[in-house]
Amino acid sequence: MIPYKTALCYLVVFALSLYAFSLLGQENKHYTGNYTIGDYTGHADFEYHISDGDTIFDGSFLIKKVSLQELSYGTDSSFVVSGKFTNNLPVKEWNLHFGRLKANNVELHDNHYEVSLDGLIHQASGNFLNGKMDGEWIHLFQRLKNSEVAETLFKSVVDFNEGVPQQSFSIENDQLTLIGRFLRDGLAHDTWELFTEDYPEPEEKWIFNNGRLERIEVLKNNQFLSLPIYPSSFTNQQQINLDEQYLTLISLQHSDTFFIEPMSKLLSQNVKFYEKISDFLEKLGCPATLPEFKVTVPFYPLTDNEK
């Protein structure tokens, strides 16, 4: 018979061996070379390990495609994405650039090429915390001329706390600017103001109360016309996304729908740019969710006869 203490030592050694073997299987590796993520193929440089046959990104990450030859011959889809992962979750600072660019001048100076670029570029930058957007995220969509910013076509600045939009935000394109704020739970709150580029005062005001849109005020003939939406609190309510469906719901309550279009355009543009980031991460196999602007609407539960 094996003494108790000896058997216990064998068991401890066996457990430590299994643990060491599991660590060996998850030892980080380094990859550099061509890599494809959905529709994006470029030169990649990243850290990873294998778990249950799956590639788990873990460490620094970079993928880019900038081809001088293709830029010289015509418009090219270029991109540069850099960030960091912890066990397949994006963390810390990320920078993403997607462009439709064309070289309009290529010159050789001091044994290196200098390239002037024309085209459109979408830049997004911000931080992730455990796979969720955290802190300030900025999206820029700009037109370049000779590698200089000729025009900013879209800009979005939103603060997040673990994926939930909070505090003040601003969204603007080349014609309109929307300024508003959220509560800590991501619900629209207070007065959202819509400005046009040629007038210093807001031309629309959307007044929210804990996610409930009480009224919309529209500037007409130098006076604000008040349009009640949900002026009274709800007996039953539910939270939904402030998206095109919600805007359509609001427009059905008034024959004047002109006030919906500018707001809808800005919010739709904002969603499109965030979707690009989310789609890219999902193609990497990383869980990613779109940030959601939340509002409340009345909820009418089914009666026993309707169930």
Side-chain angles (χ1 to χ4, degrees):
M1 173 180 286
I2 301 175
Y4 172 75
K5 289 185 177 179
T6 302
L8 183 60
C9 288
Y10 285 150
L11 185 61
V12 170
V13 170
F14 179 69
L16 289 174
S17 298
L18 285 178
Y19 178 70
F21 181 77
S22 66
L23 288 180
L24 183 63
Q26 291 190 0
E27 180 182 356
N28 269 12
K29 302 177 182 180
H30 179 257
Y31 175 84
T32 181
N34 288 336
Y35 198 74
T36 298
I37 304 168
D39 298 329
Y40 302 96
T41 298
H43 181 80
D45 191 305
F46 57 80
E47 307 288 330
Y48 73 102
H49 64 258
I50 302 299
S51 178
D52 296 329
D54 295 326
T55 299
I56 306 298
F57 297 104
D58 196 21
S60 60
F61 179 89
L62 170 69
I63 185 169
K64 61 183 179 180
K65 178 202 168 190
V66 182
S67 171
L68 177 60
Q69 183 177 9
E70 292 185 24
L71 288 171
S72 300
Y73 286 106
T75 302
D76 180 41
S77 295
S78 302
F79 61 89
V80 180
V81 176
S82 63
K84 187 174 183 179
F85 285 99
T86 297
N87 285 324
N88 231 39
L89 289 177
V91 295
K92 298 187 177 180
E93 182 179 356
W94 278 72
N95 291 280
L96 307 97
H97 299 73
F98 304 93
R100 292 283 296 169
L101 303 171
K102 180 180 181 180
N104 67 6
N105 189 31
V106 181
E107 297 181 355
L108 182 63
H109 290 286
D110 298 328
N111 296 320
H112 68 273
Y113 287 102
E114 292 184 358
V115 183
S116 294
L117 300 175
D118 293 345
L120 300 171
I121 185 167
H122 167 212
Q123 305 175 66
S125 59
N127 285 274
F128 283 97
L129 179 63
N130 298 323
K132 297 179 180 179
M133 292 180 175
D134 196 69
E136 183 180 78
W137 269 83
I138 299 176
H139 285 258
L140 291 169
F141 187 56
Q142 297 173 315
R143 187 186 308 279
L144 300 185
K145 182 68 176 178
N146 294 324
S147 297
E148 299 288 338
V149 176
E151 185 180 10
T152 297
L153 302 173
F154 181 86
K155 181 179 180 181
S156 168
V157 181
V158 182
D159 280 300
F160 296 94
N161 181 13
E162 294 191 54
V164 180
Q166 295 190 349
Q167 303 178 4
S168 300
F169 74 92
S170 65
I171 303 172
E172 60 185 275
N173 59 20
D174 55 339
Q175 297 177 329
L176 302 167
T177 299
L178 170 64
I179 296 175
R181 79 178 188 96
F182 300 97
L183 296 174
R184 291 184 178 274
D185 54 7
L187 282 173
H189 187 62
D190 227 340
T191 301
W192 290 22
E193 296 179 319
L194 191 66
F195 297 83
T196 59
E197 61 177 357
D198 55 356
Y199 196 71
E201 299 296 326
E203 297 201 3
E204 287 185 28
K205 296 180 182 180
W206 291 42
I207 291 84
F208 290 94
N209 185 351
N210 291 311
R212 173 171 55 87
L213 180 56
E214 293 184 338
R215 66 188 185 277
I216 296 175
E217 296 181 356
V218 182
L219 187 63
K220 296 187 72 174
N221 299 323
N222 295 321
Q223 290 186 332
F224 278 101
L225 172 65
S226 182
L227 305 171
I229 306 298
Y230 298 118
S232 303
S233 59
F234 309 130
T235 303
N236 296 295
Q237 67 180 32
Q238 63 178 351
Q239 293 185 13
I240 64 172
N241 294 335
L242 201 171
D243 53 18
E244 291 186 16
Q245 287 185 331
Y246 174 78
L247 294 171
T248 300
L249 176 66
I250 297 303
S251 68
L252 293 175
Q253 301 189 40
H254 289 276
S255 58
D256 294 328
T257 60
F258 65 91
F259 58 85
I260 294 296
E261 295 177 4
M263 181 77 75
S264 178
K265 183 178 180 180
L266 277 177
L267 293 172
S268 296
Q269 283 182 298
N270 194 57
V271 168
K272 180 184 71 173
F273 288 119
Y274 274 99
E275 280 179 343
K276 195 173 189 72
I277 309 304
S278 179
D279 290 346
F280 185 88
L281 292 172
E282 286 180 355
K283 288 171 182 175
L284 276 171
C286 308
T289 57
L290 281 173
E292 297 173 340
F293 295 0
K294 293 290 188 179
V295 290
T296 59
V297 293
F299 172 64
Y300 304 102
L302 297 176
T303 64
D304 292 337
N305 293 332
E306 292 173 326
K307 293 180 180 179

